[in-house]
Amino acid sequence: MNTWLVQQQRRLQQLPLQRIIIALSGGLDSSVLLHLAWRLKQQGHLPNLEAWYVNHQLQSQADAWQSQLAQQCAALGVLYRAFRVEVKKDGQGVEAAARQARYQCFAENLRGGDELWLAQHADDQLETQLLRWLRGSGPQGLAGMPEQRSLARAQLYRPLLHLSRKQLEVYAQTWGLSWCEDPSNASEVFDRNYLRHQVVPLLRQRWPDLLQRTGRSALACRESQALLDEVAEQDYQQLASGLALDKAGFMTLSCRRQHNLLRYLCRQRAMLPPPERVLANLPSWLAAAEERCPSLDWPGASLKRYRQGIFLLETSSLVAPAPFTWQPELMQSWPGGRLLAESCQGRGVRQQPGQWQIRFRQGGETWQPVGCQHPVSVKHFLQSQGIPPWRRAQVPLLYCDETLVAVGQRLAQGWQAQAQQPGWWLHWQCLDVNWNGD
């Protein structure tokens, strides 16, 4: 491990890190990583060092492990934190749901300048590649787990990816380390465990250098994916039209480049890529009449068209909001938008006593915007402003008592603050709307 330690020392000298967090499970891998990080700390090469344990409450021994890890960290003088999370399957397997809960916990507690160290090693990488191959993954999946990537405001780092489990076992025995054994690791009900116990040993008998072979394959896949990403970024720069993709330009791309661009954008936005059934329907979706407001949906994502634009949206941003009391001194947000009011004089919406509320379209609302000679429906006004159909139910309607005072940041006739009158200047921001309704 001396070579590994020297490599990490050099790397740490070049990084302005504030804190290193070890994702501690109590198993062999993370116990070795914690000990290695402790040695780096003792040598003066690490900033603040912490160890975090996420208790998924899935094993009867989880609380005992939590206490045991606290003692282990105390013996090393490492700050220890434990988090309890609730694992919600939501149609996915236990492993995937636990992973999602764990990463969500990390993301919520990390801050800028942090680096989260995970203990996956070369054998884990091999199993990941095999699982993804069996699921039909392309270069992105077959490249395996990245050594480093961003996570929330911090960085995620896997420093052991080039070391085998055997090397970690030797290190643990040499230093007399103890660790917890998760009984679920022996259950071949889980695909990863089946590969680990039944498939990989047979492959190793035939190809002893299996890790080196799959490592070369992962490198080739990463290079291929990097090239695909370069093409996708070039296509995006050519087609980006405000907050959308230009439909006419998108249709000039080959099917392969269309698919590549959509997958690339999904990865950039941390969304699931479109499945094959969605990609198969892409030509008919592009050809559908616009008045049908065509949509292609898959878990967590929706592809929509409007006025020759293509929009890639998160499903969570399309939720219809409920009315709420307006507090002009606060930034108030809801799925798809947010509203801030700035106190001013002689402009904006007139300040006056009353019950102020933000509501959202139910249908049939009418009003008279500043500059219009006659009342108009809110529906037609939003259409004239180029608000996409899926955002119209999320545009804030500002009411004073029962009077509609503003739509978005456009005021109703008679509600402008006059000279020397106190007012609120409205700032409405929406995810995929360039508002021109001032």
Side-chain angles (χ1 to χ4, degrees), residues 1 4 28-29 32 36 119-126 159-172 204 208 210-212:
M1 291 291 184
W4 184 93
L28 166 71
D29 316 335
V32 169
L36 286 167
Q120 287 102 342
H121 47 74
D123 294 72
D124 293 325
Q125 183 75 291
L126 166 62
L160 304 181
L161 270 187
H162 302 292
L163 300 176
S164 69
R165 179 179 173 83
K166 184 63 177 176
Q167 288 174 288
L168 302 187
E169 290 173 347
V170 171
Y171 181 89
R204 275 205 170 100
L210 183 62
L211 292 182
Q212 290 76 18

Side-chain angles (χ1 to χ4, degrees), residues 215-226:
R216 291 193 296 270
S217 176
L219 177 59
C221 287
R222 281 194 291 273
E223 291 180 347
S224 297
Q225 188 59 53

Side-chain angles (χ1 to χ4, degrees), residues 28-336:
L28 166 71
D29 316 335
S30 66
S31 297
V32 169
L33 181 58
L34 174 64
H35 192 268
L36 286 167
W38 171 78
R39 289 178 64 188
L40 288 169
K41 176 72 172 175
Q42 294 298 104
Q43 296 168 7
H45 299 292
L46 273 188
N48 296 323
L49 177 63
E50 298 183 16
W52 291 1
Y53 171 67
V54 177
N55 187 341
H56 301 94
Q57 306 179 78
L58 295 175
Q59 300 285 351
S60 59
Q61 307 98 316
D63 289 341
W65 292 340
Q66 182 172 320
S67 299
Q68 182 176 336
L69 293 175
Q71 297 172 8
Q72 181 181 346
C73 290
L76 294 175
V78 174
L79 181 63
Y80 171 73
R81 294 181 66 187
F83 305 88
R84 298 176 75 89
V85 298
E86 183 181 353
V87 177
K88 299 178 181 179
K89 290 187 180 180
D90 294 331
Q92 55 188 338
V94 175
E95 285 182 303
R99 185 184 308 110
Q100 181 176 331
R102 182 167 62 252
Y103 277 85
Q104 180 65 33
C105 177
F106 289 145
E108 291 173 355
N109 289 279
L110 290 167
R111 58 178 185 250
D114 286 347
E115 190 166 73
L116 176 68
W117 285 18
L118 304 185
Q120 287 102 342
H121 47 74
D123 294 72
D124 293 325
Q125 183 75 291
L126 166 62
E127 294 162 6
T128 297
Q129 289 175 274
L130 289 173
L131 283 169
R132 292 179 178 178
W133 173 67
L134 291 168
R135 293 169 186 163
S137 296
Q140 176 71 21
L142 297 178
M145 297 176 285
E147 187 174 38
Q148 186 167 356
R149 68 173 177 86
S150 60
L151 178 62
R153 294 169 293 173
Q155 290 292 311
L156 180 152
Y157 180 48
R158 296 183 173 94
L160 304 181
L161 270 187
H162 302 292
L163 300 176
S164 69
R165 179 179 173 83
K166 184 63 177 176
Q167 288 174 288
L168 302 187
E169 290 173 347
V170 171
Y171 181 89
Q173 292 165 3
T174 302
W175 285 87
L177 304 184
S178 60
W179 60 89
C180 309
E181 288 290 352
D182 187 340
S184 68
N185 288 336
S187 172
E188 294 181 8
V189 170
F190 301 110
D191 291 342
R192 183 179 289 274
N193 290 345
Y194 177 78
L195 289 173
R196 180 179 303 162
H197 298 300
Q198 297 294 333
V199 177
V200 172
L202 291 176
L203 294 174
R204 275 205 170 100
Q205 287 179 21
R206 180 79 178 192
W207 297 282
D209 60 343
L210 183 62
L211 292 182
Q212 290 76 18
R213 289 171 177 263
T214 55
R216 291 193 296 270
S217 176
L219 177 59
C221 287
R222 281 194 291 273
E223 291 180 347
S224 297
Q225 188 59 53
L227 181 58
L228 290 172
D229 288 348
E230 285 184 21
V231 173
E233 178 61 25
Q234 291 172 4
D235 288 340
Y236 176 72
Q237 294 299 330
Q238 290 289 327
L239 299 180
S241 177
L243 300 166
L245 296 176
D246 177 66
K247 179 195 167 194
F250 186 81
M251 293 182 70
T252 65
L253 299 178
S254 68
C255 289
R256 289 183 294 274
R257 288 176 69 160
Q258 290 176 355
H259 299 175
N260 185 50
L261 177 55
L262 291 178
R263 293 190 185 106
Y264 173 76
L265 292 178
C266 286
R267 285 198 306 277
Q268 295 295 105
R269 302 175 191 185
M271 300 162 67
L272 289 175
E276 290 302 320
R277 62 168 180 82
V278 168
L279 297 177
N281 290 326
L282 193 58
S284 58
W285 176 79
L286 289 167
E290 183 176 310
E291 58 268 19
R292 293 174 53 194
C293 297
S295 176
L296 279 177
D297 304 310
W298 62 96
S302 183
L303 200 61
K304 297 184 181 293
R305 281 177 37 208
Y306 181 65
R307 293 189 176 181
Q308 300 304 306
I310 294 174
F311 296 81
L312 178 61
L313 310 169
E314 289 189 66
T315 306
S316 60
S317 74
L318 303 175
V319 177
F324 56 86
T325 300
W326 185 49
Q327 299 174 279
E329 68 277 7
L330 300 178
M331 169 77 78
Q332 294 180 283
S333 60
W334 54 93

